[in-house]
Amino acid sequence: MYRFLLTPRWWVINVFTLLAIPVCLFMGSWQLSRFETRVDTHNQQQDDASRERKAAARPLSDLLPVTAKTSGERATATGRYDTTHQLLVPDRRLDGRDGFYVLTLLRVDGDVGGGKGMADGKDGAGAKGEPGAKALPVVRGWLPGDADDPAAAAKVPAPPSGEVTVTGALQASEHQGGDGVSAAGGLPRGQLGMISAASLVNLVPYQVYDAWVTSSQAPGALKPVPPTAAEGTGLDIKAFQNLGYTGEWFVFAGFVIFMWFRLFRREAETARDLALGITPPEPAAPTEPGADRTPDDAERTRSPSATA
């Protein structure tokens, strides 16, 4: 009764099933391992963040370039704020509320990092500023409201003058598609959609570090912006996508087994019926419309005009 398993058609079905199930299980296990890795890095980041809050801030030069390990660490830099290039970063949420970041460029003293992690200005280093001038983007805080609203923008405190020392969490440059990054173009003058050296290089006449700092102390009405996890780590949306893909691959494996069993049972039932002399009914031949109508039916359905 099971000789049909040796037919070429069933050889193809069996080989496909034997290959598909391990592939689905492997892909599901791989996606699960990626999710577990992100959980482990999230827990590690929580522990590191607790230690970093207690640890002393390190010089910016010791943390550049930004990596997954140095992202979020406390950094310190000394310089002067460029009050002519203060920018608002719209569409940023904090504590479930809409608002915007206040970003000011800190003209860093000395050759921090020896030139590592910097982007040249549009006219080269010092083309419109001091020779070798460099700047570190600093998010001084967050304000609720709309960056286009003059009343909300008026609440932004002016940056301090003179030499200051900024301490905060080091962050990697943002990119398109990142969490909170505005992809809309045509922002008004004085606004910035993405915090990165690539987006700032055409706005300032000096070099910009390929990193930024969120200040741990926010003046006035500003609220400090908490650091974000480095890309590819932590429990972000991509981590839960890995968990969803895990379930999908395991469901695919179960679906392959279900379909094989269903085809096998149907084929076995057909073979058993044939062994008992039970043949499936042949489909009736199609009939032409009106072929089974009697003359009386034709007479009743004849239109009045035809009768006339």
Side-chain angles (χ1 to χ4, degrees), residues 31-68:
Q31 292 288 352
L32 181 60
S33 66
R34 293 192 63 187
F35 175 75
E36 292 175 343
T37 300
R38 288 176 179 272
V39 172
D40 293 339
T41 57
H42 173 75
N43 295 333
Q44 184 66 35
Q45 286 171 353
Q46 296 297 320
D47 296 339
D48 293 343
S50 299
R51 289 194 296 266
E52 289 299 330
R53 282 192 292 266
K54 301 176 182 178
R58 297 167 59 188
L60 183 64
S61 59
D62 295 344
L63 301 175
L64 293 178
V66 185
T67 62

mmCIF file of all heavy atoms in Angstrom, residues 31-68:
data_model
loop_
_atom_site.group_PDB
_atom_site.id
_atom_site.type_symbol
_atom_site.label_atom_id
_atom_site.label_comp_id
_atom_site.label_asym_id
_atom_site.label_seq_id
_atom_site.Cartn_x
_atom_site.Cartn_y
_atom_site.Cartn_z
ATOM 1 N N GLN A 31 18.244 32.649 15.025
ATOM 2 C CA GLN A 31 17.550 33.864 15.423
ATOM 3 C C GLN A 31 17.378 33.920 16.938
ATOM 4 O O GLN A 31 17.495 34.992 17.548
ATOM 5 C CB GLN A 31 16.184 33.949 14.736
ATOM 6 C CG GLN A 31 16.237 34.169 13.230
ATOM 7 C CD GLN A 31 16.666 35.583 12.861
ATOM 8 O OE1 GLN A 31 16.790 36.453 13.715
ATOM 9 N NE2 GLN A 31 16.905 35.808 11.579
ATOM 10 N N LEU A 32 17.112 32.770 17.567
ATOM 11 C CA LEU A 32 16.976 32.743 19.023
ATOM 12 C C LEU A 32 18.297 33.079 19.699
ATOM 13 O O LEU A 32 18.324 33.788 20.718
ATOM 14 C CB LEU A 32 16.483 31.361 19.464
ATOM 15 C CG LEU A 32 16.264 31.174 20.962
ATOM 16 C CD1 LEU A 32 15.213 32.153 21.477
ATOM 17 C CD2 LEU A 32 15.849 29.734 21.261
ATOM 18 N N SER A 33 19.408 32.586 19.143
ATOM 19 C CA SER A 33 20.714 32.901 19.724
ATOM 20 C C SER A 33 21.026 34.388 19.605
ATOM 21 O O SER A 33 21.625 34.978 20.515
ATOM 22 C CB SER A 33 21.802 32.076 19.037
ATOM 23 O OG SER A 33 21.957 32.450 17.676
ATOM 24 N N ARG A 34 20.598 35.017 18.498
ATOM 25 C CA ARG A 34 20.805 36.457 18.356
ATOM 26 C C ARG A 34 19.997 37.217 19.400
ATOM 27 O O ARG A 34 20.484 38.208 19.968
ATOM 28 C CB ARG A 34 20.412 36.909 16.958
ATOM 29 C CG ARG A 34 21.306 36.362 15.853
ATOM 30 C CD ARG A 34 21.051 37.069 14.533
ATOM 31 N NE ARG A 34 21.384 38.479 14.615
ATOM 32 C CZ ARG A 34 21.135 39.357 13.642
ATOM 33 N NH1 ARG A 34 20.550 38.946 12.535
ATOM 34 N NH2 ARG A 34 21.469 40.615 13.778
ATOM 35 N N PHE A 35 18.770 36.791 19.648
ATOM 36 C CA PHE A 35 17.963 37.441 20.679
ATOM 37 C C PHE A 35 18.588 37.266 22.054
ATOM 38 O O PHE A 35 18.653 38.213 22.841
ATOM 39 C CB PHE A 35 16.542 36.872 20.667
ATOM 40 C CG PHE A 35 15.673 37.390 21.781
ATOM 41 C CD1 PHE A 35 15.146 38.676 21.734
ATOM 42 C CD2 PHE A 35 15.391 36.594 22.883
ATOM 43 C CE1 PHE A 35 14.355 39.156 22.753
ATOM 44 C CE2 PHE A 35 14.596 37.073 23.910
ATOM 45 C CZ PHE A 35 14.080 38.358 23.847
ATOM 46 N N GLU A 36 19.069 36.055 22.353
ATOM 47 C CA GLU A 36 19.706 35.817 23.652
ATOM 48 C C GLU A 36 20.977 36.646 23.798
ATOM 49 O O GLU A 36 21.283 37.129 24.900
ATOM 50 C CB GLU A 36 20.011 34.326 23.797
ATOM 51 C CG GLU A 36 18.768 33.458 23.916
ATOM 52 C CD GLU A 36 19.097 31.978 23.941
ATOM 53 O OE1 GLU A 36 20.244 31.632 23.535
ATOM 54 O OE2 GLU A 36 18.236 31.184 24.340
ATOM 55 N N THR A 37 21.711 36.823 22.696
ATOM 56 C CA THR A 37 22.910 37.660 22.753
ATOM 57 C C THR A 37 22.544 39.103 23.080
ATOM 58 O O THR A 37 23.232 39.766 23.877
ATOM 59 C CB THR A 37 23.658 37.595 21.409
ATOM 60 O OG1 THR A 37 24.035 36.249 21.141
ATOM 61 C CG2 THR A 37 24.894 38.480 21.433
ATOM 62 N N ARG A 38 21.451 39.595 22.479
ATOM 63 C CA ARG A 38 21.021 40.960 22.767
ATOM 64 C C ARG A 38 20.547 41.093 24.211
ATOM 65 O O ARG A 38 20.759 42.137 24.837
ATOM 66 C CB ARG A 38 19.909 41.378 21.802
ATOM 67 C CG ARG A 38 20.399 41.615 20.377
ATOM 68 C CD ARG A 38 19.249 41.938 19.445
ATOM 69 N NE ARG A 38 19.696 42.192 18.092
ATOM 70 C CZ ARG A 38 20.063 43.387 17.635
ATOM 71 N NH1 ARG A 38 20.023 44.419 18.437
ATOM 72 N NH2 ARG A 38 20.463 43.528 16.389
ATOM 73 N N VAL A 39 19.903 40.057 24.741
ATOM 74 C CA VAL A 39 19.500 40.089 26.149
ATOM 75 C C VAL A 39 20.728 40.154 27.048
ATOM 76 O O VAL A 39 20.774 40.918 28.027
ATOM 77 C CB VAL A 39 18.627 38.866 26.484
ATOM 78 C CG1 VAL A 39 18.372 38.777 27.994
ATOM 79 C CG2 VAL A 39 17.303 38.927 25.744
ATOM 80 N N ASP A 40 21.742 39.350 26.704
ATOM 81 C CA ASP A 40 22.971 39.366 27.501
ATOM 82 C C ASP A 40 23.657 40.726 27.439
ATOM 83 O O ASP A 40 24.125 41.241 28.465
ATOM 84 C CB ASP A 40 23.928 38.279 27.009
ATOM 85 C CG ASP A 40 23.392 36.869 27.266
ATOM 86 O OD1 ASP A 40 22.521 36.722 28.139
ATOM 87 O OD2 ASP A 40 23.831 35.935 26.562
ATOM 88 N N THR A 41 23.729 41.319 26.232
ATOM 89 C CA THR A 41 24.356 42.639 26.122
ATOM 90 C C THR A 41 23.538 43.697 26.856
ATOM 91 O O THR A 41 24.114 44.634 27.429
ATOM 92 C CB THR A 41 24.505 43.032 24.650
ATOM 93 O OG1 THR A 41 23.221 43.016 24.009
ATOM 94 C CG2 THR A 41 25.443 42.087 23.932
ATOM 95 N N HIS A 42 22.200 43.543 26.837
ATOM 96 C CA HIS A 42 21.362 44.497 27.577
ATOM 97 C C HIS A 42 21.657 44.421 29.068
ATOM 98 O O HIS A 42 21.824 45.459 29.733
ATOM 99 C CB HIS A 42 19.886 44.204 27.301
ATOM 100 C CG HIS A 42 18.951 45.022 28.139
ATOM 101 N ND1 HIS A 42 18.710 46.355 27.906
ATOM 102 C CD2 HIS A 42 18.200 44.693 29.225
ATOM 103 C CE1 HIS A 42 17.858 46.821 28.795
ATOM 104 N NE2 HIS A 42 17.527 45.836 29.606
ATOM 105 N N ASN A 43 21.727 43.201 29.593
ATOM 106 C CA ASN A 43 22.039 43.053 31.020
ATOM 107 C C ASN A 43 23.440 43.577 31.326
ATOM 108 O O ASN A 43 23.656 44.205 32.374
ATOM 109 C CB ASN A 43 21.926 41.583 31.418
ATOM 110 C CG ASN A 43 20.498 41.064 31.300
ATOM 111 O OD1 ASN A 43 19.534 41.831 31.410
ATOM 112 N ND2 ASN A 43 20.347 39.765 31.081
ATOM 113 N N GLN A 44 24.388 43.322 30.412
ATOM 114 C CA GLN A 44 25.737 43.816 30.608
ATOM 115 C C GLN A 44 25.771 45.333 30.597
ATOM 116 O O GLN A 44 26.487 45.967 31.391
ATOM 117 C CB GLN A 44 26.663 43.252 29.523
ATOM 118 C CG GLN A 44 28.132 43.631 29.677
ATOM 119 C CD GLN A 44 28.755 43.032 30.917
ATOM 120 O OE1 GLN A 44 28.416 41.915 31.303
ATOM 121 N NE2 GLN A 44 29.664 43.769 31.545
ATOM 122 N N GLN A 45 24.981 45.938 29.689
ATOM 123 C CA GLN A 45 24.931 47.394 29.628
ATOM 124 C C GLN A 45 24.331 47.985 30.894
ATOM 125 O O GLN A 45 24.754 49.042 31.357
ATOM 126 C CB GLN A 45 24.128 47.831 28.407
ATOM 127 C CG GLN A 45 24.859 47.640 27.090
ATOM 128 C CD GLN A 45 23.956 47.888 25.904
ATOM 129 O OE1 GLN A 45 22.751 48.080 26.039
ATOM 130 N NE2 GLN A 45 24.531 47.861 24.708
ATOM 131 N N GLN A 46 23.326 47.310 31.447
ATOM 132 C CA GLN A 46 22.743 47.794 32.695
ATOM 133 C C GLN A 46 23.771 47.777 33.814
ATOM 134 O O GLN A 46 23.859 48.722 34.609
ATOM 135 C CB GLN A 46 21.528 46.932 33.068
ATOM 136 C CG GLN A 46 20.378 47.013 32.087
ATOM 137 C CD GLN A 46 19.789 48.407 31.989
ATOM 138 O OE1 GLN A 46 19.629 49.114 32.980
ATOM 139 N NE2 GLN A 46 19.492 48.832 30.776
ATOM 140 N N ASP A 47 24.556 46.690 33.869
ATOM 141 C CA ASP A 47 25.598 46.614 34.890
ATOM 142 C C ASP A 47 26.677 47.665 34.652
ATOM 143 O O ASP A 47 27.154 48.312 35.599
ATOM 144 C CB ASP A 47 26.224 45.215 34.900
ATOM 145 C CG ASP A 47 25.212 44.139 35.288
ATOM 146 O OD1 ASP A 47 24.192 44.489 35.910
ATOM 147 O OD2 ASP A 47 25.434 42.961 34.933
ATOM 148 N N ASP A 48 27.064 47.816 33.363
ATOM 149 C CA ASP A 48 28.091 48.816 33.050
ATOM 150 C C ASP A 48 27.600 50.219 33.360
ATOM 151 O O ASP A 48 28.370 51.068 33.834
ATOM 152 C CB ASP A 48 28.490 48.715 31.574
ATOM 153 C CG ASP A 48 29.212 47.417 31.259
ATOM 154 O OD1 ASP A 48 29.680 46.755 32.208
ATOM 155 O OD2 ASP A 48 29.282 47.059 30.069
ATOM 156 N N ALA A 49 26.304 50.486 33.074
ATOM 157 C CA ALA A 49 25.767 51.816 33.336
ATOM 158 C C ALA A 49 25.781 52.128 34.827
ATOM 159 O O ALA A 49 26.063 53.261 35.238
ATOM 160 C CB ALA A 49 24.346 51.919 32.795
ATOM 161 N N SER A 50 25.483 51.118 35.639
ATOM 162 C CA SER A 50 25.521 51.330 37.090
ATOM 163 C C SER A 50 26.937 51.638 37.560
ATOM 164 O O SER A 50 27.151 52.516 38.403
ATOM 165 C CB SER A 50 24.983 50.090 37.813
ATOM 166 O OG SER A 50 23.641 49.838 37.434
ATOM 167 N N ARG A 51 27.904 50.929 36.980
ATOM 168 C CA ARG A 51 29.294 51.191 37.354
ATOM 169 C C ARG A 51 29.761 52.542 36.822
ATOM 170 O O ARG A 51 30.505 53.257 37.512
ATOM 171 C CB ARG A 51 30.197 50.075 36.840
ATOM 172 C CG ARG A 51 30.030 48.757 37.581
ATOM 173 C CD ARG A 51 31.174 47.805 37.255
ATOM 174 N NE ARG A 51 31.168 47.455 35.852
ATOM 175 C CZ ARG A 51 30.577 46.378 35.354
ATOM 176 N NH1 ARG A 51 29.911 45.568 36.158
ATOM 177 N NH2 ARG A 51 30.634 46.103 34.063
ATOM 178 N N GLU A 52 29.326 52.879 35.595
ATOM 179 C CA GLU A 52 29.773 54.137 35.000
ATOM 180 C C GLU A 52 29.244 55.342 35.771
ATOM 181 O O GLU A 52 29.903 56.379 35.848
ATOM 182 C CB GLU A 52 29.340 54.220 33.542
ATOM 183 C CG GLU A 52 30.080 53.281 32.616
ATOM 184 C CD GLU A 52 31.560 53.561 32.577
ATOM 185 O OE1 GLU A 52 31.955 54.733 32.774
ATOM 186 O OE2 GLU A 52 32.341 52.621 32.363
ATOM 187 N N ARG A 53 28.011 55.205 36.303
ATOM 188 C CA ARG A 53 27.470 56.329 37.083
ATOM 189 C C ARG A 53 28.309 56.599 38.332
ATOM 190 O O ARG A 53 28.361 57.723 38.816
ATOM 191 C CB ARG A 53 26.016 56.032 37.471
ATOM 192 C CG ARG A 53 25.028 56.241 36.340
ATOM 193 C CD ARG A 53 23.612 56.232 36.836
ATOM 194 N NE ARG A 53 23.206 54.917 37.308
ATOM 195 C CZ ARG A 53 22.580 54.021 36.561
ATOM 196 N NH1 ARG A 53 22.295 54.308 35.296
ATOM 197 N NH2 ARG A 53 22.242 52.848 37.055
ATOM 198 N N LYS A 54 28.945 55.565 38.841
ATOM 199 C CA LYS A 54 29.781 55.723 40.024
ATOM 200 C C LYS A 54 31.232 56.016 39.660
ATOM 201 O O LYS A 54 31.976 56.552 40.482
ATOM 202 C CB LYS A 54 29.712 54.454 40.883
ATOM 203 C CG LYS A 54 28.295 54.118 41.347
ATOM 204 C CD LYS A 54 28.263 52.806 42.113
ATOM 205 C CE LYS A 54 26.846 52.434 42.532
ATOM 206 N NZ LYS A 54 26.811 51.120 43.249
ATOM 207 N N ALA A 55 31.622 55.633 38.434
ATOM 208 C CA ALA A 55 33.013 55.830 38.030
ATOM 209 C C ALA A 55 33.250 57.272 37.590
ATOM 210 O O ALA A 55 32.321 57.996 37.219
ATOM 211 C CB ALA A 55 33.366 54.870 36.894
ATOM 212 N N ALA A 56 34.499 57.670 37.641
ATOM 213 C CA ALA A 56 34.867 59.015 37.215
ATOM 214 C C ALA A 56 34.854 59.092 35.692
ATOM 215 O O ALA A 56 35.113 58.105 34.998
ATOM 216 C CB ALA A 56 36.262 59.370 37.755
ATOM 217 N N ALA A 57 34.526 60.281 35.185
ATOM 218 C CA ALA A 57 34.503 60.492 33.737
ATOM 219 C C ALA A 57 35.918 60.421 33.183
ATOM 220 O O ALA A 57 36.890 60.837 33.827
ATOM 221 C CB ALA A 57 33.867 61.836 33.416
ATOM 222 N N ARG A 58 36.028 59.907 31.962
ATOM 223 C CA ARG A 58 37.325 59.775 31.309
ATOM 224 C C ARG A 58 37.461 60.847 30.232
ATOM 225 O O ARG A 58 36.455 61.313 29.672
ATOM 226 C CB ARG A 58 37.446 58.394 30.698
ATOM 227 C CG ARG A 58 37.400 57.265 31.716
ATOM 228 C CD ARG A 58 37.204 55.925 31.040
ATOM 229 N NE ARG A 58 38.268 55.634 30.088
ATOM 230 C CZ ARG A 58 38.239 54.593 29.259
ATOM 231 N NH1 ARG A 58 37.191 53.782 29.252
ATOM 232 N NH2 ARG A 58 39.246 54.380 28.437
ATOM 233 N N PRO A 59 38.685 61.244 29.927
ATOM 234 C CA PRO A 59 38.881 62.237 28.863
ATOM 235 C C PRO A 59 38.344 61.727 27.535
ATOM 236 O O PRO A 59 38.369 60.530 27.242
ATOM 237 C CB PRO A 59 40.401 62.428 28.826
ATOM 238 C CG PRO A 59 40.876 61.987 30.165
ATOM 239 C CD PRO A 59 39.954 60.893 30.598
ATOM 240 N N LEU A 60 37.876 62.650 26.725
ATOM 241 C CA LEU A 60 37.310 62.288 25.429
ATOM 242 C C LEU A 60 38.317 61.546 24.569
ATOM 243 O O LEU A 60 37.962 60.625 23.825
ATOM 244 C CB LEU A 60 36.829 63.555 24.720
ATOM 245 C CG LEU A 60 36.143 63.374 23.360
ATOM 246 C CD1 LEU A 60 34.853 62.592 23.508
ATOM 247 C CD2 LEU A 60 35.872 64.726 22.718
ATOM 248 N N SER A 61 39.583 61.917 24.672
ATOM 249 C CA SER A 61 40.617 61.294 23.844
ATOM 250 C C SER A 61 40.782 59.811 24.139
ATOM 251 O O SER A 61 41.201 59.041 23.278
ATOM 252 C CB SER A 61 41.952 62.012 24.046
ATOM 253 O OG SER A 61 42.329 61.964 25.415
ATOM 254 N N ASP A 62 40.421 59.376 25.358
ATOM 255 C CA ASP A 62 40.561 57.967 25.725
ATOM 256 C C ASP A 62 39.408 57.114 25.206
ATOM 257 O O ASP A 62 39.500 55.887 25.254
ATOM 258 C CB ASP A 62 40.641 57.821 27.254
ATOM 259 C CG ASP A 62 41.881 58.476 27.834
ATOM 260 O OD1 ASP A 62 42.820 58.775 27.050
ATOM 261 O OD2 ASP A 62 41.917 58.702 29.060
ATOM 262 N N LEU A 63 38.340 57.738 24.718
ATOM 263 C CA LEU A 63 37.141 56.994 24.329
ATOM 264 C C LEU A 63 36.877 57.025 22.831
ATOM 265 O O LEU A 63 35.933 56.386 22.370
ATOM 266 C CB LEU A 63 35.921 57.567 25.068
ATOM 267 C CG LEU A 63 35.998 57.542 26.600
ATOM 268 C CD1 LEU A 63 34.781 58.246 27.190
ATOM 269 C CD2 LEU A 63 36.077 56.110 27.103
ATOM 270 N N LEU A 64 37.691 57.779 22.079
ATOM 271 C CA LEU A 64 37.497 57.857 20.637
ATOM 272 C C LEU A 64 38.391 56.850 19.925
ATOM 273 O O LEU A 64 39.509 56.591 20.364
ATOM 274 C CB LEU A 64 37.807 59.270 20.136
ATOM 275 C CG LEU A 64 36.856 60.364 20.584
ATOM 276 C CD1 LEU A 64 37.317 61.717 20.065
ATOM 277 C CD2 LEU A 64 35.426 60.081 20.111
ATOM 278 N N PRO A 65 37.922 56.274 18.803
ATOM 279 C CA PRO A 65 36.587 56.422 18.220
ATOM 280 C C PRO A 65 35.543 55.643 19.003
ATOM 281 O O PRO A 65 35.880 54.716 19.741
ATOM 282 C CB PRO A 65 36.763 55.853 16.810
ATOM 283 C CG PRO A 65 37.848 54.848 16.956
ATOM 284 C CD PRO A 65 38.785 55.397 17.987
ATOM 285 N N VAL A 66 34.284 55.997 18.821
ATOM 286 C CA VAL A 66 33.211 55.373 19.580
ATOM 287 C C VAL A 66 32.991 53.950 19.090
ATOM 288 O O VAL A 66 32.888 53.700 17.891
ATOM 289 C CB VAL A 66 31.903 56.182 19.440
ATOM 290 C CG1 VAL A 66 30.818 55.592 20.330
ATOM 291 C CG2 VAL A 66 32.143 57.635 19.797
ATOM 292 N N THR A 67 32.929 53.020 20.038
ATOM 293 C CA THR A 67 32.640 51.623 19.732
ATOM 294 C C THR A 67 31.464 51.183 20.599
ATOM 295 O O THR A 67 30.955 51.941 21.435
ATOM 296 C CB THR A 67 33.860 50.736 20.017
ATOM 297 O OG1 THR A 67 34.179 50.801 21.418
ATOM 298 C CG2 THR A 67 35.069 51.200 19.206
ATOM 299 N N ALA A 68 31.032 49.934 20.381
ATOM 300 C CA ALA A 68 29.934 49.403 21.191
ATOM 301 C C ALA A 68 30.323 49.354 22.665
ATOM 302 O O ALA A 68 29.453 49.438 23.548
ATOM 303 C CB ALA A 68 29.538 48.013 20.698
#
